[in-house]
Amino acid sequence: MKYSIGGLILTMLMLSFVPATKVSAADNTICDGVYIGDIDARDMTVEQVTDLLKRRVNSVRSGDIIISSGEGRKVKIKGADLGVTWENPDVVKEAYAIGHEGNVVNRYKERKELESNNEIFEIRYGFDDNAVASVIRKCSTEFNREVIEEQEDSESKGKKGGKSKTEDKKSVILVDIDESKQIIEDFIQSGWSENNNEVQIATRKVDPTTENQGEYAEAKDILGTYTTNYKTSNASRCANIETACSLINGVTINPGEEFSVLKAITPFTEENGYYKVGSYMNGLVVESFGGGICQVSSTLYNAILLAELEVTERHNHSMIVNYVAPSADAAIAEESGKDFRFVNNTDAPIYIEGVTTPDKNVTFTIYGHETRSKERKINFETVVLEKTPASEDKFVTDSKQALGYIGMQPPHLGYKAQLCKVVTENGSEEKKIVVNKSTYKMVPRIITVGTSGADENAMSQLKTAMATGDLGTIRTVASALGMARNTSGTTTEAAPSNSTEKKEQSTPATQNNQSTPAEQAEPADQPEQAAPAETEPTQATPSDSGDVAKSSSGHKHGRSKEPSEG
């Protein structure tokens, strides 16, 4: 006891000698030496700094940004045109935590450190990818151009007394979309201010071959560009998206010619660079080669819509997807021949550029000869016509899954929707055109019960449990049967049947730690899990102005048998 009291007294004496340091005017304010960006946050409360940063973000959104090509050509926009948002508002609480959280020793150390070294936190801005793409498209219209250079004929060069011959060499200067996007975002992130509001984007020089010089020279304007993200996809689905995108990239389509996406990216085989990934068939997740290619065709579809090329064939998915708005998708299915086809209805060749990036964006850009008025703008919006809630759970058996296995596939709302093109001239709406009507099937939650190794007695018990429609009962029976089979090898004991005892159990009863189908395979026609019954898709439709368009949904006419969709 003597030693304990002595230790306590010693600790108190040591703390009494901790030197005072200059901290802040009040204990509820941020410490001296803490900065958020270039803002000195000392002696300010969390609320005061938050309000100041909100005003800073609003000044970026409302401020002028001058984008140049470095050759006297400029485009003036507002930060709001890029969809600028404040991405890390929690940074204020992080800044306040310095010198305020932890034990007394840690707080003292942090405050003491601030006397010699400032703590600087970053303000992070977010951007709307399609809004940025719209701005770059506008810049491309202004900056892309043909360049003609005179070159001396190599045969006549150096001949005495002879006149040198010259020949014209045509090149095309194009805005580098990916690099320019990064330059603009980096500029807003770290360099923009009211007094420093001009940024030069990147261009690239294309030297076409003699055969396709004319095509490149004419296809110098961006007619449409669209981006979707697939960062939540697994490695196989990512590879399929990148393979399909590369097979379309670089295609030139002459006036009047039709392009088939299905023809360009098939066959869906391992030899052609595809992997097996989950896709939908009859409402169930199945493994098939090429899962993910529908995101490629859907991204291209939106770019084609913005370019206003003539679509000759397009199909919506059987169930709703999340990477584009309802009615803005384009499904591909090799087995049934579902295709996305369009015609170059312009007066010049078009060139398709398809790229994927390390941060898992897939972008298609359509180059051509722009003849549309600069005062004419188009955007697309989805209108919900009807919504069907998910029905009662559906129970199915799977002889490929072990006895004891229970798998669940999330439900899908059913939708009917239409996609409309809105045309404005000089800021006034001129007309609204229905582009397509799409129907997406409602699919209930599907409970899969494994039956591999089940004898007649076990099958009878499973069917009785499934007839109750109660998931808790089915779990209990399946688990008991699976355990009994593992214990005895073949004989199955009678399983308990209690509809209430395990009703709230959330973990699936599994054999050998097998996962549910949703965990085994990611649906190929979407980057995330299928939209659950309680969730509506919120993806923006393509917009020429880059603004987020109205979001809704759709629903496809069911058939007795659906081929798998990518």
Side-chain angles (χ1 to χ4, degrees):
M1 190 69 176
K2 285 184 180 180
Y3 294 107
S4 299
I5 295 173
L8 178 61
I9 294 172
L10 180 61
T11 301
M12 293 176 65
L13 286 171
M14 289 175 65
L15 289 175
S16 69
F17 285 103
V18 173
T21 61
K22 182 181 178 181
V23 288
S24 54
D27 197 46
N28 66 338
T29 62
I30 295 173
C31 293
D32 190 355
V34 175
Y35 288 76
I36 303 178
D38 60 353
I39 295 175
D40 185 350
R42 62 180 166 181
D43 297 334
M44 297 173 69
T45 65
V46 168
E47 292 75 18
Q48 288 172 330
V49 177
T50 299
D51 182 65
L52 182 61
L53 286 170
K54 283 181 179 178
R55 282 185 274 130
R56 166 67 65 86
V57 175
N58 287 335
S59 73
V60 175
R61 288 181 55 81
S62 61
D64 290 334
I65 301 169
I66 310 298
I67 302 174
S68 73
S69 65
E71 297 179 353
R73 302 176 184 225
K74 297 182 180 181
V75 170
K76 184 178 178 180
I77 64 166
K78 298 285 188 182
D81 294 329
L82 300 169
V84 173
T85 58
W86 183 14
E87 198 173 53
N88 64 329
D90 287 343
V91 70
V92 183
K93 292 180 180 178
E94 294 172 14
Y96 173 79
I98 301 296
H100 285 93
E101 295 184 357
N103 60 44
V104 64
V105 175
N106 287 337
R107 294 199 302 272
Y108 167 75
K109 286 180 178 179
E110 288 178 348
R111 293 179 175 185
K112 189 67 178 174
E113 179 68 21
L114 290 173
E115 292 181 3
S116 54
N117 296 299
N118 293 329
E119 185 74 31
I120 303 174
F121 291 86
E122 179 186 23
I123 307 171
R124 290 201 307 272
Y125 296 102
F127 302 88
D128 183 311
D129 284 338
N130 287 311
V132 175
S134 180
V135 167
I136 294 176
R137 182 166 66 250
K138 182 178 180 181
C139 293
S140 298
T141 301
E142 297 295 326
F143 302 158
N144 290 356
R145 65 197 184 281
E146 183 181 356
V147 177
I148 301 176
E149 302 172 85
E150 285 190 351
Q151 285 192 331
E152 188 175 339
D153 188 353
S154 58
E155 291 184 8
S156 60
K157 187 176 180 181
K159 290 184 179 179
K160 289 186 178 181
K163 292 183 179 180
S164 62
K165 297 178 182 179
T166 60
E167 56 182 19
D168 292 342
K169 179 185 177 183
K170 293 182 179 180
S171 301
V172 181
I173 303 297
L174 302 176
V175 168
D176 189 312
I177 295 174
D178 291 327
E179 188 175 347
S180 294
K181 177 179 183 292
Q182 194 63 53
I183 288 172
I184 291 172
E185 292 180 359
D186 288 347
F187 175 69
I188 298 298
Q189 192 69 53
S190 58
W192 182 91
S193 69
E194 292 181 357
N195 298 321
N196 178 35
N197 65 351
E198 185 168 329
V199 60
Q200 181 178 326
I201 60 175
T203 58
R204 57 193 174 93
K205 184 178 178 182
V206 177
D207 296 317
T209 64
T210 303
E211 290 76 19
N212 62 12
Q213 247 182 24
E215 296 174 358
Y216 272 95
E218 292 181 89
K220 63 184 178 63
D221 302 317
I222 292 183
L223 306 182
T225 185
Y226 199 76
T227 299
T228 62
N229 186 271
Y230 57 99
K231 64 183 178 182
T232 60
S233 299
N234 60 35
S236 294
R237 189 174 187 276
C238 289
N240 289 345
I241 288 173
E242 289 153 14
T243 294
C245 180
S246 68
L247 291 172
I248 298 173
N249 178 47
V251 168
T252 298
I253 306 170
N254 290 316
E257 287 184 351
E258 185 180 56
F259 180 73
S260 163
V261 173
L262 185 63
K263 184 177 179 181
I265 65 177
T266 52
F268 299 136
T269 61
E270 190 173 2
E271 292 74 22
N272 206 26
Y274 292 107
Y275 295 86
K276 278 192 173 183
V277 184
S279 56
Y280 283 119
M281 184 170 66
N282 298 328
L284 292 171
V285 176
V286 297
E287 291 284 309
S288 62
F289 280 106
I293 50 89
C294 286
Q295 182 163 353
V296 174
S297 56
S298 296
T299 306
L300 179 60
Y301 176 54
N302 284 276
I304 294 301
L305 289 175
L306 291 169
E308 294 187 273
L309 301 182
E310 179 187 351
V311 175
T312 52
E313 182 180 350
R314 170 263 171 192
H315 305 269
N316 59 270
H317 287 82
S318 56
M319 292 180 287
I320 204 73
V321 298
N322 284 341
Y323 46 79
V324 292
S327 286
D329 59 326
I332 295 288
E334 185 177 18
E335 183 179 329
S336 66
K338 277 187 179 180
D339 197 357
F340 168 44
R341 296 183 296 142
F342 56 90
V343 171
N344 176 7
N345 57 344
T346 73
D347 61 355
I350 62 168
Y351 176 80
I352 302 177
E353 181 180 67
V355 295
T356 54
T357 62
D359 55 347
K360 305 305 179 186
N361 283 326
V362 54
T363 300
F364 280 103
T365 303
I366 313 302
Y367 291 96
H369 178 211
E370 183 62 89
T371 59
R372 297 172 291 185
S373 168
K374 291 183 179 180
E375 304 304 320
R376 181 178 180 277
K377 303 292 182 184
I378 62 169
N379 72 322
F380 293 82
E381 60 183 41
T382 296
V383 180
V384 173
L385 303 174
E386 185 181 308
K387 181 164 50 174
T388 306
S391 60
E392 292 182 357
D393 291 349
K394 179 181 179 181
F395 298 91
V396 297
T397 58
D398 187 348
S399 60
K400 294 180 181 178
Q401 297 291 349
L403 183 63
Y405 169 90
I406 296 291
M408 286 187 293
Q409 185 174 294
H412 293 252
L413 287 175
Y415 285 100
K416 288 185 179 180
Q418 65 184 23
L419 185 66
C420 297
K421 178 167 76 172
V422 181
V423 182
T424 59
E425 292 273 1
N426 297 310
S428 300
E429 184 175 318
E430 291 291 315
K431 55 185 175 181
K432 182 180 287 188
I433 305 163
V434 176
V435 176
N436 71 58
K437 291 185 178 181
S438 302
T439 305
Y440 302 87
K441 289 193 298 187
M442 178 281 298
V443 177
R445 184 171 67 163
I446 298 174
I447 313 297
T448 302
V449 180
T451 60
S452 177
D455 58 20
E456 187 176 341
N457 179 39
M459 286 299 299
S460 176
Q461 293 184 61
L462 285 175
K463 287 178 180 179
T464 301
M466 291 169 67
T468 68
D470 179 70
L471 181 58
T473 298
I474 298 168
R475 285 187 192 279
T476 301
V477 172
S479 179
L481 290 171
M483 291 175 63
R485 181 179 181 278
N486 286 343
T487 302
S488 63
T490 54
T491 307
T492 306
E493 301 272 341
S497 177
N498 187 330
S499 61
T500 58
E501 184 177 346
K502 302 231 174 181
K503 191 171 184 178
E504 302 301 320
Q505 181 178 346
S506 59
T507 9
T510 61
Q511 175 97 1
N512 300 328
N513 296 322
Q514 296 173 42
S515 61
T516 66
E519 295 169 328
Q520 291 174 333
E522 182 179 17
D525 56 356
Q526 54 194 58
E528 303 174 329
Q529 277 298 344
E534 297 78 10
T535 305
E536 296 185 31
T538 56
Q539 193 77 21
T541 42
S543 169
D544 188 57
S545 64
D547 296 331
V548 174
K550 295 178 182 177
S551 177
S552 317
S553 314
H555 176 163
K556 171 128 190 161
H557 298 293
R559 299 188 295 174
S560 61
K561 193 169 184 179
E562 283 283 348
S564 62
E565 299 166 336

